[in-house]
Amino acid sequence: MTHRDNEGLVCSLKFLILLVALSPELLSLGAGVQLQDNGYDGLLVAINPQVSEDQNLIPNIKKMITEASFCLFNATKRRVFFRNIKILIPATWKANNYSKAKQESYEKANVIVTDWYGAHGDDPYTLQYRGCGKEGKYIHFTPDFLLNDDLTAGYGSRGKVFVHEWAHLRWGVFDEYNNEKPFYINGQNQIKVTRCSSDITGIFVCEKGPCPQENCIISKLFKEGCMFIYNSTQNATASIMFMQSLSSVVEFCNASTHNPEAPNLQNQMCSLRSAWDVITDSADFRHSSPMSETKLPPPPTFSLLQAGDKVVCLVLDVSSKMAEADRLLRLQQAAEFYLMQIVEIHTFVGIASFNSKGEIRAQLHQINNDDDRKLLVSYLPATVSAEAETSICSGLKKGFEVVEKLNGKAHGSVMVLVTSGDDEHVANCLLTVQSSGSTIHTIDLGSSAVENLEELSHLTGGLKFFVPDKSNSNSMIDAFSRISSGTGDIFQQHIQLESTGENVQPHYQLKNTVTMDNSVGNDTAFLVTWQTSGPPEIVLADPSGRKYYTDDFVTNLTLQTARLRIPGTAKPGLWMYTLNNTHDSLQALKVTVTSRASRSAVPPATVEAFVERDSTRFPHPMMIYANVRKGFYPILNATVTATIEPEAGDPVMLKLFDDGAGNIQMNAPRTSVGRSEEEQKWGFSRISSGGSFSVLGVPAGPHTDVFPPCKIIDLEAVKVEDQVTLSWTAPGEDFDEGQANSYEIRMSKSLQNIQDDFNNAILVNTSKLTPQQAGTKEIFTFSPKLFTEGPKYQPEGEAQENHRIYVAIRAIDRNSLKSAVSNIAQASLFIPPNSAPVLARDRLILKGILTAMGLIGIICLTIVVTHCILNKKKTADNKENGMKLL
C-alpha cells in the first residue's frame, strides 16, 4: 500500500466465501438512534416482506415497546426511556394511510421482525459482533413471538424481553446464564448454579422429585434429569440479563449482586465486570443524568411508514477524467449488468449524467421485461466530455428531478452516484441531500478521493465503494452487484457467486469453476468482460457436461460484454468455464456469476461483509466483519477469504478463521437445516463487496512494530488428577497473523487478585511452551503445587478453604509487545477420591432454558481486531423443557 498525505490509504474490501464438503452435523446499532433529554429517538422496527399481514402485529409491537420503555426507565434508575419509534411496514401489505418511508429500509433497522425459516422456536436474539461495551447490529423477533401470548409464560413479558435485548444491542452486555455449564464448583468447593444474582432461589430436583443437592450429584457429575427449579416467589431483583421472566427481576446485576465466578459470557467477554458496570460506563450514561424524582417519562410515540414504489436513478460522471484507465468502459459494463440482471422487476429506473453541469439522459422507466432493461442500457453514456471539471451537486440535482417526476418527492428513492473527478463543492448540497429522503450509494473511481463524497452516503444511510484503476479488478461490477432494494426479501435479490479477473497472456486461458448449490439457481447469469475488441473464446460446461460456447452468449461488442442467462433453474454442482485469449496482446478477462433463490420456502446461503467505520488512524486497527448464514442459521466450517484492494499495489488475500484467536468461541449451535447430497458434495460459493475504508496517517517508510498479538478469549482450564490442563487458540505476532514469541501465564487463588493485579499473580513456568502458528489450538499442562501443598499464598480477606485457582494468559511478540490479558479460567483443585472433574453435558441444562444460536464470521487480521456473537435467550420451552415454578 502507498502512503497518501491527508487522506491516507483507501481500500476496497471484497469477501469470497467457499464452503467445502460440509457434513450435516456441522451445519446447523443502529446509527439512527439518538439519546436526547433521556429519551431515545429514531428507533426503527422493520417487518420483513415475507411476513404475512396480521392486524395484531403492529399493536403488539407498540405494546411491547411501551412496556419496555417504563421497564427500562426503572431498570436504569430513571435514566433512559423510548420516546419516538418508527415501524416500517412492507410494501407487500395493504396500504392504510401510512406515511411514506424516506431513507428508512429493512437493512437499516435496529429491530427486525421475520421468521427463522425453520422449526427451531421463536427465541429472540441480538446480533452482537463487536465485544463488550460495543453496540450490536440488530434485534430479531419472530412474528409468532409477538403474536402468541402463550409464549410469555416462558419468556416473561415482551417488554422485559425487549429490555434484555436492548441491553445487548445498545450497551454490549452479555447473557449471564450458560446452557452448556449450568452448574459449577465455586471457590469453597460447593456446587453452584450459573446465575446472577446468587440470591435467586430454588431447589434441586432429581428424577423422582425434590432431593438434597448432594443426592443430585454422582462424583461431581450430575444425574441425567437432574435440574434446578426456581421458586415461583422470589425476593431477588436481579438480573435482567439472567432471567427476565421472573416477576421479581427488574434490575441489572451490579457490583454488589454480580456473580464473578459464574461461567457465563458476561464474565468471559467483559472481564468479570457486572452488566450495570458496563452500562453505566456507556456514552448514554456519561452524557446524561437521571430525571427528577417527580417526573415520569411520556409513553412512546409511533410513526407507521410504508415503502412505496422502488425508484432508482443512476447519476454518472462523464467528465474527461472518465477516459482514464478504461473508467468509462468499466462503468458501462457494470451499469449494463446492473440494469440487465440486478435491478428487481417493477423498479422505476432513470439515468442522469454530469460534468460541470447535470443532464437527464433517461426519465423514469419501469422495468417489466427484458425490453425495458435493454432500452435503459441504450441511454448509458457512450462518450466522455472534453472538460475535466465536475459538479456532483449538479448531477444529484438532475437525479432528484428524475425521481420526483413519479410522486413529486424523492422520498424512498435510491441514487447510485459514480464519479472520478475532484469536486471541492460537494458540501454545498449536503443539506439538500440530507432532507431529500433519498438514499445515495457512492462509487469512487481512481486514486483521487473526493472530499465529502462519503458524507453523502453517511448522511443518507447509503453504501460507499472505492474502485482502483486496475484493468483486472472486478470491483466496479462487485459494487453494483452489492446494491439492492433494501427490502430484506432475500428471495428476490440476486446473489453473487463468482467474481474474478486476470490479465491473461496471448493465447492463454482463464479457467475456473463455480459452485452452484441447490438453494440458488433461478435467473442465473454468467457475465464475461474483456479489454480489447472481440470477445475471448468461451466454453462453459454445466455439471452434466452440457457445454455453452461464445455464440450462445448475448454479446455487446460496444461495451465488450458477453452474457448468458441459464433458462429455468441452473443445475446444482460445479460449472466449469474457460476463457481463451485469442488476441496477440495481453488483456484483462473477467467473469461474474449471479443467481437467485431456487425455492421460495428455503432461504439461500448468504454472506454479508462490512466495516465498522469509514476510516481509522494508524496504528489503530480497522475492524472488518463477515456474516455467513443460511436464513438466520449459522454456517460453520466455511473457508472465508477477504480480498483487500489498495489504491496501488497488488490485492492482499487473507484467509479468515473463526477459531477463537481474538474472537468469541461460540457454544455449539443448533442443528441447521438439512443439506442435500449435492450441497454436501460440492459446498457453495458467495461473493460480497464490503465497501471501502481509509487508513489515515500511515508512515511512508519502514516503521517500528506497533501491532501486539490478539487477546486470547477462549482460555479454558480443566483439573486432571494433580495437574491443570489449559487450552486456547494461538494468537499471532501481529494480532492473529504470524506466530507469537512467548506466553505469560499467571494464576491465583483470588479471583479479585488476578483480575485487578495480573502482574503480581503467581507466574507459571512456561519455558518449555513455544507458541504455534496463529489459529492453532494450544494445550499446556502444569502442576499447581503451590496451592495443592498448602495455603502458601492467601490474600487478605480470603476464606481459608479455597479449593479453586484462577488462571489468565497473555501473548508477547518478538518486540515485547503484549496482548491484553485473556479471559480468566478457573479450575477446582480439591476433588474427593473416586470422583471426576465437572464436565459439560448436553442434557444437563437448567430446566426452562433454551438457546437461540447464531454465528458470525469473525476476523482478527493485521489490520483487523474484532469480537462478534449472536446472543442467546433465557427462556422456557413448554414442549421440551417447560419451566416449573414452585
Side-chain angles (χ1 to χ4, degrees):
M1 296 184 182
T2 58
H3 172 64
R4 285 190 64 182
D5 296 332
N6 301 324
E7 293 297 331
L9 299 167
V10 179
C11 306
S12 67
L13 174 68
K14 179 169 63 180
F15 273 71
L16 303 95
I17 306 299
L18 175 62
L19 180 67
V20 288
L22 293 185
S23 61
E25 62 269 19
L26 291 176
L27 278 173
S28 337
L29 203 200
V33 179
Q34 302 293 329
L35 180 64
Q36 299 180 25
D37 299 327
N38 300 95
Y40 288 113
D41 296 322
L43 176 67
L44 178 60
V45 180
I47 302 171
N48 191 281
Q50 291 290 322
V51 174
S52 299
E53 187 167 358
D54 190 297
Q55 62 181 359
N56 294 318
L57 189 56
I58 294 173
N60 283 9
I61 292 173
K62 291 180 177 182
K63 183 178 178 181
M64 174 179 67
I65 298 178
T66 300
E67 179 193 359
S69 183
F70 290 102
C71 291
L72 186 68
F73 184 70
N74 292 325
T76 58
K77 307 185 190 308
R78 309 180 61 83
R79 186 73 69 128
V80 294
F81 62 94
F82 297 110
R83 181 186 288 116
N84 298 316
I85 292 89
K86 300 175 184 178
I87 301 178
L88 182 61
I89 297 158
T92 52
W93 287 25
K94 297 176 184 175
N96 191 19
N97 294 321
Y98 302 125
S99 299
K100 187 173 182 181
K102 297 181 181 179
Q103 291 151 347
E104 300 85 3
S105 70
Y106 182 87
E107 294 178 344
K108 302 174 189 176
N110 314 107
V111 180
I112 59 174
V113 178
T114 185
D115 288 308
W116 272 96
Y117 298 109
H120 293 293
D122 295 285
D123 300 337
Y125 77 92
T126 299
L127 175 55
Q128 288 180 267
Y129 59 97
R130 297 173 56 202
C132 184
K134 305 292 186 180
E135 292 186 43
K137 193 167 177 63
Y138 57 73
I139 298 171
H140 174 201
F141 294 110
T142 66
D144 198 42
F145 173 82
L146 296 169
L147 294 170
N148 187 351
D149 291 339
D150 292 340
L151 294 176
T152 59
Y155 292 100
S157 71
R158 295 188 184 102
K160 288 175 69 176
V161 172
F162 193 93
V163 172
H164 179 113
E165 299 303 333
W166 180 258
H168 285 312
L169 182 72
R170 186 71 181 185
W171 300 313
V173 297
F174 292 84
D175 290 318
E176 293 168 338
Y177 58 86
N178 187 334
N179 288 347
E180 285 198 343
K181 297 179 180 179
F183 307 102
Y184 68 98
I185 302 177
N186 70 358
Q188 285 70 47
N189 210 43
Q190 299 170 322
I191 299 294
K192 293 292 183 181
V193 178
T194 302
R195 57 188 162 178
C196 194
S197 73
S198 298
D199 296 333
I200 293 177
T201 60
I203 63 171
F204 285 91
V205 176
C206 299
E207 295 174 352
K208 296 182 179 180
C211 61
Q213 173 180 330
E214 56 270 18
N215 291 352
C216 202
I217 302 164
I218 301 176
S219 300
K220 294 294 184 294
L221 289 175
F222 295 96
K223 289 181 180 179
E224 292 288 344
C226 182
M227 64 194 75
F228 187 80
I229 304 297
Y230 299 100
N231 295 330
S232 58
T233 301
Q234 299 277 349
N235 294 321
T237 57
S239 166
I240 290 171
M241 302 313 295
F242 171 66
M243 189 170 281
Q244 77 286 330
S245 57
L246 296 175
S247 60
S248 67
V249 169
V250 293
E251 298 177 343
F252 297 98
C253 262
N254 55 32
S256 63
T257 57
H258 179 62
N259 179 7
E261 288 188 327
N264 56 40
L265 269 179
Q266 175 62 26
N267 282 330
Q268 179 183 348
M269 297 306 304
C270 296
S271 302
L272 310 181
R273 298 168 64 195
S274 70
W276 185 244
D277 183 36
V278 176
I279 292 170
T280 54
D281 195 37
S282 68
D284 287 353
F285 277 60
R286 292 197 307 268
H287 301 148
S288 65
S289 301
M291 292 175 62
S292 66
E293 291 293 332
T294 59
K295 191 174 183 181
L296 290 176
T301 60
F302 296 87
S303 302
L304 303 183
L305 312 175
Q306 188 173 36
D309 295 315
K310 290 175 283 189
V311 181
V312 176
C313 185
L314 305 184
V315 182
L316 310 177
D317 187 347
V318 293
S319 69
S320 61
K321 288 196 173 183
M322 290 295 293
E324 301 172 9
D326 286 334
R327 292 173 186 168
L328 179 64
L329 175 62
R330 290 186 292 144
L331 169 59
Q332 292 170 327
Q333 293 171 340
E336 183 209 31
F337 190 66
Y338 177 74
L339 293 171
M340 294 300 303
Q341 199 65 28
I342 304 299
V343 179
E344 297 172 22
I345 194 75
H346 305 313
T347 302
F348 289 89
V349 180
I351 302 174
S353 63
F354 65 94
N355 42 35
S356 62
K357 298 179 181 179
E359 178 187 1
I360 296 175
R361 306 186 71 89
Q363 297 288 356
L364 287 181
H365 193 92
Q366 189 174 30
I367 294 178
N368 295 306
N369 51 48
D370 272 4
D371 288 338
D372 296 323
R373 297 179 184 274
K374 293 174 184 178
L375 177 63
L376 285 164
V377 169
S378 70
Y379 289 114
L380 291 174
T383 59
V384 300
S385 70
E387 58 178 307
E389 185 181 353
T390 58
S391 173
I392 291 173
C393 290
S394 296
L396 290 174
K397 182 180 179 181
K398 291 299 180 181
F400 291 142
E401 287 181 20
V402 170
V403 299
E404 288 169 358
K405 288 286 180 69
L406 189 64
N407 295 310
K409 294 182 179 179
H411 294 178
S413 65
V414 170
M415 302 280 173
V416 182
L417 172 64
V418 184
T419 185
S420 67
D422 295 324
D423 186 351
E424 300 176 354
H425 306 292
V426 177
N428 294 344
C429 58
L430 290 181
L431 291 178
T432 301
V433 165
Q434 187 173 17
S435 61
S436 67
S438 179
T439 297
I440 300 180
H441 305 300
T442 60
I443 302 177
D444 186 9
L445 310 185
S447 59
S448 57
V450 179
E451 186 177 0
N452 288 323
L453 180 63
E454 293 179 350
E455 190 66 16
L456 296 172
S457 298
H458 177 72
L459 287 175
T460 63
L463 302 172
K464 62 184 184 61
F465 305 92
F466 166 72
V467 177
D469 283 336
K470 299 173 185 175
S471 59
N472 62 340
S473 172
N474 216 21
S475 296
M476 181 86 78
I477 291 175
D478 294 339
F480 272 96
S481 298
R482 175 71 171 80
I483 297 171
S484 69
S485 63
T487 63
D489 190 350
I490 190 61
F491 297 101
Q492 296 300 318
Q493 295 173 7
H494 279 80
I495 298 171
Q496 193 171 359
L497 310 183
E498 173 75 327
S499 174
T500 188
E502 288 186 14
N503 289 319
V504 180
Q505 296 290 338
H507 308 294
Y508 277 73
Q509 296 176 338
L510 171 60
K511 190 174 183 179
N512 210 339
T513 59
V514 180
T515 303
M516 191 77 62
D517 61 284
N518 65 1
S519 71
V520 295
N522 286 350
D523 202 12
T524 300
F526 287 77
L527 173 69
V528 175
T529 65
W530 60 92
Q531 209 175 2
T532 59
S533 59
E537 185 180 85
I538 305 172
V539 180
L540 172 66
D542 73 11
S544 67
R546 177 183 175 180
K547 293 185 177 180
Y548 301 87
Y549 298 96
T550 308
D551 290 345
D552 297 312
F553 283 67
V554 176
T555 302
N556 188 323
L557 295 178
T558 302
L559 303 185
Q560 297 169 205
T561 64
R563 182 172 50 87
L564 174 68
R565 183 176 294 172
I566 305 301
T569 302
K571 293 180 180 294
L574 294 180
W575 290 66
M576 179 178 293
Y577 61 85
T578 302
L579 308 183
N580 184 20
N581 180 11
T582 58
H583 295 274
D584 294 328
S585 60
L586 178 145
Q587 69 165 326
L589 301 179
K590 290 171 280 191
V591 177
T592 304
V593 183
T594 62
S595 188
R596 286 197 297 109
S598 58
R599 290 167 288 176
S600 61
V602 180
T606 60
V607 57
E608 179 187 13
F610 49 94
V611 293
E612 182 182 34
R613 58 175 61 92
D614 293 341
S615 65
T616 189
R617 181 167 292 278
F618 180 88
H620 296 291
M622 174 59 69
M623 301 185 187
I624 304 171
Y625 309 94
N627 188 0
V628 188
R629 63 188 182 181
K630 189 170 186 178
F632 285 94
Y633 290 95
I635 296 177
L636 301 182
N637 283 21
T639 299
V640 184
T641 303
T643 303
I644 299 176
E645 295 187 292
E647 291 177 84
D650 295 329
V652 179
M653 308 289 290
L654 296 165
K655 192 174 183 180
L656 311 178
F657 300 94
D658 179 20
D659 54 20
N663 310 314
I664 290 177
Q665 188 71 12
M666 295 293 296
N667 292 331
R670 293 177 170 190
T671 302
S672 182
V673 182
R675 291 174 60 79
S676 67
E677 292 183 4
E678 289 86 355
E679 286 181 305
Q680 294 177 40
K681 183 177 181 180
W682 303 116
F684 66 87
S685 62
R686 298 290 186 268
I687 301 289
S688 177
S689 176
S692 63
F693 61 88
S694 300
V695 182
L696 309 177
V698 179
H703 53 82
T704 58
D705 183 12
V706 293
F707 302 114
C710 276
K711 175 184 176 179
I712 296 165
I713 68 166
D714 62 346
L715 178 66
E716 294 185 354
V718 177
K719 173 74 165 56
V720 181
E721 296 180 350
D722 63 344
Q723 294 184 314
V724 172
T725 297
L726 304 177
S727 64
W728 68 93
T729 303
E733 168 75 13
D734 298 325
F735 299 132
D736 73 345
E737 288 290 301
Q739 187 173 345
N741 187 61
S742 62
Y743 291 117
E744 179 184 0
I745 300 176
R746 294 182 181 270
M747 63 182 181
S748 174
K749 286 183 75 176
S750 166
L751 179 59
Q752 198 70 33
N753 172 267
I754 198 167
Q755 180 184 17
D756 297 342
D757 195 7
F758 175 82
N759 291 332
N760 287 320
I762 304 300
L763 184 65
V764 176
N765 185 353
T766 58
S767 59
K768 296 183 179 180
L769 176 60
T770 301
Q772 300 184 69
Q773 192 71 21
T776 306
K777 198 67 176 180
E778 300 269 31
I779 296 177
F780 177 70
T781 300
F782 69 98
S783 179
K785 292 182 179 179
L786 177 67
F787 294 149
T788 57
E789 292 177 354
K792 297 180 180 179
Y793 176 79
Q794 190 72 42
E796 183 179 353
E798 285 286 318
Q800 291 299 310
E801 291 299 322
N802 189 348
H803 303 288
R804 200 153 190 81
I805 64 166
Y806 303 93
V807 187
I809 183 174
R810 64 183 174 193
I812 306 170
D813 70 13
R814 59 177 176 267
N815 291 311
S816 300
L817 295 178
K818 299 179 179 181
S819 71
V821 176
S822 72
N823 64 295
I824 298 174
Q826 47 190 310
S828 177
L829 295 182
F830 177 77
I831 296 180
N834 303 320
S835 65
V838 176
L839 300 175
R841 301 275 297 275
D842 289 342
R843 295 298 298 170
L844 301 180
I845 63 173
L846 294 180
K847 199 72 170 179
I849 300 172
L850 281 179
T851 317
M853 299 303 301
L855 173 73
I856 189 167
I858 309 170
I859 309 155
C860 174
L861 311 175
T862 301
I863 59 169
V864 180
V865 183
T866 181
H867 300 147
C868 46
I869 188 165
L870 290 179
N871 275 292
K872 304 162 292 245
K873 199 56 9 334
K874 190 77 169 182
T875 180
D877 186 304
N878 294 327
K879 295 180 180 179
E880 296 183 19
N881 295 312
M883 178 182 290
K884 299 177 182 177
L885 298 179
L886 302 181

